[in-house]
Amino acid sequence: MTSLCTATELRAVSGDAALIAYLRALRGQGVVDSVFQRTVNVLMPDERLVALVARGGGDAPRTLVTDADDWSGRGISAGRAVEFTPGVITVRTADAHLRVHTEGADEWHPILPSLAALGPGDLEAAASALDRLIQAHGSRGGMLGPTPTASSMEAAVTRALADGREALVRAITSADDDAIRRGVLSLLGLGPGLTPAGDDFLTAPALLSSLHGSGLSAFGRALQDVLLEHPGRTTRLSVTTLDEALAGRARASLLDVLHALAHPSGWSEARATESVRTSVRHVLAIGHTSGTDILSGLVTGLRLEKEVRGSL
C-alpha cells in the first residue's frame, strides 16, 4: 500500500526582490545544500544558492524570510530533492512536501549609502567607533583572536588570520596588485564553518570596494579574479556572499551599519558610536563569530579607505 505524502504550505514573508522576480518564472529541479535550525540553503537549477530562513531572520541577497518557526524536525537533509515551479519552492522529504510560496512577499531592495562625503578624519572616527564596540561585545575565535580556552589548532588559525590581515593591509596600502592577490588567497577559506572567518572578514571590504569612488577598487578586482581562478578554495555559500558583496549587495543589517556611519562630516567618535550601536548589535548576532569577523573587515576597510583618500 502506497502512503500519501502530506504537504505543509509556507509563505515567504519578505525576500530579495531580484530573487523573487527570478522565481516567478523558474521551473526545474534543485537540491538541498545544507540545513541548520534557522536556515536551509538550496541549490537552484542553475546551481546558484537561495537561503530559506525562519521567521525573524534578516533580509539578505538571494534570501527568502519565511513564516516557519524553524527547520528542525521537518525531515529536511542535505541532498533532498527540491522542485521549482513559478513562485513556489517545494522541498521533498520522506513523508511530506514543504512548499514555500513567494507570491505576496514584501520585496527587499538592498540600497547602498554613499561615503563619498566622509574625509579621512570621519572615516577614522567611524572605524574607531566600530572597533570599540567589537572589542567590547564581539566574539573571539576568529579575527578577534583566540578564546581563553583555545586549542592549539584554534590558536594557529587565529594567528594565520592576523597574519593574513596584516599582509593584505600592507599590499593594498602599497598598491601592489600581486601582493593583494596573495593577501586575498591567504585569507580565503581560512577557518572552520560554512563561512570561514577569513571569508567573513573579506566580505566588508568587498562591499566597500563596490561604492562609487572607493579606493579599494584594486582589492575588489583581485578578489573577483581569485574567486574565478580558485573556485574550490572555499565554500559555495562564501563564494555567493563574496560575489554579492562585490556587486554592492549584502545583508540588511550590515547595510544598516553603513547607513548609520554615513553621517555628516565632523562627527566625533562618541557620536558615531551611539549612531551605530543598535545596528552593530544585530550584525554581531550573526553566527558564532561571523558577525564579529564581518565587522572586523569593515574596520580594516574603513581605515584603508582613509589611507587611500589621505594620500590623494
Side-chain angles (χ1 to χ4, degrees):
M1 181 176 178
T2 303
S3 61
L4 295 176
C5 287
T6 60
T8 299
E9 308 294 335
L10 298 171
R11 185 173 66 90
V13 178
S14 65
D16 178 1
L19 173 64
I20 291 172
Y22 183 67
L23 292 173
R24 286 195 184 109
L26 182 63
R27 292 184 182 273
Q29 297 295 315
V31 65
V32 174
D33 179 75
S34 52
V35 183
F36 301 90
Q37 183 177 357
R38 301 281 300 167
T39 303
V40 175
N41 293 307
V42 173
L43 279 174
M44 295 191 291
D46 60 5
E47 297 194 347
R48 291 189 297 171
L49 278 177
V50 54
L52 307 176
V53 304
R55 189 195 318 270
D59 286 310
R62 301 194 198 178
T63 296
L64 298 174
V65 180
T66 74
D67 57 359
D69 291 328
D70 60 49
W71 299 111
S72 58
R74 296 179 180 269
I76 305 174
S77 58
R80 287 285 182 183
V82 180
E83 182 181 0
F84 289 83
T85 54
V88 182
I89 301 173
T90 303
V91 181
R92 301 181 182 276
T93 66
D95 18 63
H97 293 166
L98 284 87
R99 289 196 283 260
V100 179
H101 299 263
T102 63
E103 186 66 29
D106 291 336
E107 297 187 4
W108 172 72
H109 298 264
I111 300 173
L112 274 173
S114 173
L115 303 182
L118 302 185
D122 302 311
L123 291 166
E124 179 56 41
S128 295
L130 278 179
D131 199 17
R132 184 182 297 275
L133 290 170
I134 296 167
Q135 294 295 333
H137 306 292
S139 299
R140 292 190 171 273
M143 299 305 303
L144 274 193
T147 59
T149 58
S151 65
S152 57
M153 177 62 73
E154 180 188 316
V157 169
T158 55
R159 282 196 302 271
L161 287 166
D163 291 343
R165 172 171 49 195
E166 291 174 9
L168 184 62
V169 168
R170 287 195 302 270
I172 294 174
T173 303
S174 62
D176 185 331
D177 289 345
D178 289 338
I180 293 173
R181 291 166 63 89
R182 292 193 297 271
V184 168
L185 274 169
S186 71
L187 288 167
L188 190 64
L190 181 57
L194 199 56
T195 57
D199 301 350
D200 288 327
F201 174 84
L202 291 169
T203 298
L207 182 62
L208 289 176
S209 75
S210 72
L211 296 174
H212 177 71
S214 171
L216 300 180
S217 55
F219 162 78
R221 290 192 298 272
L223 175 57
Q224 191 167 50
D225 289 345
V226 168
L227 289 172
L228 289 171
E229 294 166 10
H230 301 270
R233 184 81 172 196
T234 189
T235 67
R236 192 190 300 267
L237 180 57
S238 275
V239 171
T240 298
T241 302
L242 290 166
D243 279 340
E244 292 291 319
L246 286 168
R249 291 163 48 84
R251 291 173 179 264
S253 55
L254 179 55
L255 294 179
D256 287 344
V257 171
L258 284 179
H259 280 286
L261 293 174
H263 52 69
S265 182
W267 270 19
S268 65
E269 179 185 331
R271 193 170 180 188
T273 299
E274 288 309 309
S275 74
V276 80
R277 189 182 297 277
T278 299
S279 53
V280 162
R281 184 173 68 248
H282 292 155
V283 176
L284 289 177
I286 299 170
H288 179 54
T289 69
S290 285
T292 301
D293 299 331
I294 291 168
L295 291 177
S296 295
L298 185 53
V299 170
T300 297
L302 289 169
R303 286 183 168 147
L304 284 167
E305 285 282 5
K306 180 198 74 169
E307 293 297 322
V308 170
R309 294 186 192 188
S311 66
L312 296 179

